[in-house]
Amino acid sequence: GAVVSQHPSRVICKSGTSVKIECRSLDFQATTMFWYRQFPKQSLMLMATSNEGSKATYEQGVEKDKFLINHASLTLSTLTVTSAHPEDSSFYICSAIPSGGRQETQYFGPGTRLLVL
Amino acid sequence: DAKTTQPNSMESNEEEPVHLPCNHSTISGTDYIHWYRQLPSQGPEYVIHGLTSNVNNRMASLAIAEDRKSSTLILHRATLRDAAVYYCILRGFYGQNFVFGPGTRLSVLP
């Protein structure tokens, strides 16, 4: 149980275009989801906390107008990278905390590799 | 959330036990100790977590020091598929995000 999926698994886009990444909790509901970014040879860095039905909370240094987060249901959060540039190329990973029940564990998606040309 | 310290890298031989240490001297009484691992080009995978008592599951064992200032993840028989970066993370029960350190890169030699 506790499976989180991401779509797409990898995407290549041209500079200046927007890319949407979906994060779904497949067998549980998640009031809270997180979005992380990971550059090569580095650890995961939290970008934002996504709460169902409310605005996302962004970490310092993350532009909220560039990385749009929508958490419209208890099983889906989306991250849209707007006007993507080559420096946005990275591995984007989401995670989710099950609503109710065991609150202490997060479950991570498989990640989405974004390459901006 | 309190900080953890792990060795940058470790090596093990296949089918031998591996003990991955983690120091967390500033742990608070409500912090859970979590271990995740990340294989190349994948998201982190849950391994095990505990609060005070040692924990066992099908993947690993978690040994927690009596003063809770350190813990050890034990892989009983390392396989080549266990080669990954292992992260030790502290988080309160109702805490929010996990703060990832650099972790320990485990290499398993055939």
Side-chain angles (χ1 to χ4, degrees):
Chain A
V3 176
V4 175
S5 71
Q6 284 184 237
H7 178 79
S9 58
R10 57 177 59 207
V11 57
I12 300 173
C13 69
K14 292 182 179 179
S15 186
T17 60
S18 294
V19 175
K20 180 186 282 189
I21 303 170
E22 292 185 348
C23 175
R24 293 182 185 272
S25 55
L26 297 185
D27 51 0
F28 64 95
Q29 294 184 329
T31 305
T32 303
M33 291 182 171
F34 302 97
W35 287 95
Y36 296 82
R37 181 167 53 182
Q38 186 175 33
F39 293 106
K41 305 292 186 185
Q42 294 186 23
S43 190
L44 282 76
M45 294 295 295
L46 179 69
M47 298 175 66
T49 302
S50 169
N51 295 300
E52 187 266 338
S54 64
K55 290 184 179 180
T57 304
Y58 291 81
E59 295 299 301
Q60 193 171 12
V62 178
E63 300 175 56
K64 62 179 181 181
D65 294 330
K66 180 171 182 61
F67 298 99
L68 301 179
I69 292 172
N70 185 283
H71 192 157
S73 79
L74 288 173
T75 58
L76 173 64
S77 175
T78 60
L79 168 69
T80 301
V81 183
T82 62
S83 186
H85 290 285
E87 57 265 30
D88 298 323
S89 299
S90 188
F91 193 46
Y92 291 86
I93 304 169
C94 72
S95 71
I97 297 178
S99 302
R102 301 183 71 95
Q103 290 274 332
E104 72 270 23
T105 300
Q106 287 189 21
Y107 298 95
F108 289 82
T112 296
R113 189 163 300 282
L114 170 63
L115 176 61
V116 184
L117 302 177
Chain B
D1 295 308
K3 186 178 176 181
T4 63
T5 304
Q6 300 176 252
N8 289 335
S9 62
M10 289 184 66
E11 253 182 25
S12 171
N13 293 318
E14 196 176 10
E15 301 203 355
E16 289 190 356
V18 182
H19 290 234
L20 297 165
C22 181
N23 288 321
H24 29 78
S25 58
T26 59
I27 191 171
S28 74
T30 56
D31 282 339
Y32 281 78
I33 302 161
H34 295 258
W35 283 84
Y36 282 76
R37 71 181 185 182
Q38 187 178 24
L39 279 65
S41 298
Q42 295 187 28
E45 174 188 24
Y46 170 79
V47 177
I48 201 167
H49 78 284
L51 184 61
T52 56
S53 303
N54 294 344
V55 184
N56 298 297
N57 65 22
R58 63 177 179 82
M59 287 182 71
S61 295
L62 176 60
I64 302 173
E66 198 168 330
D67 63 4
R68 300 209 327 125
K69 293 186 176 182
S70 66
S71 61
T72 302
L73 177 70
I74 302 167
L75 305 179
H76 296 287
R77 285 182 65 206
T79 69
L80 297 178
R81 289 176 295 178
D82 291 323
V85 178
Y86 286 78
Y87 298 100
C88 168
I89 305 166
L90 303 184
R91 180 172 171 270
F93 186 82
Y94 289 110
Q96 289 297 304
N97 62 286
F98 284 2
V99 178
F100 283 82
T104 296
R105 183 174 297 277
L106 175 67
S107 301
V108 180
L109 306 177

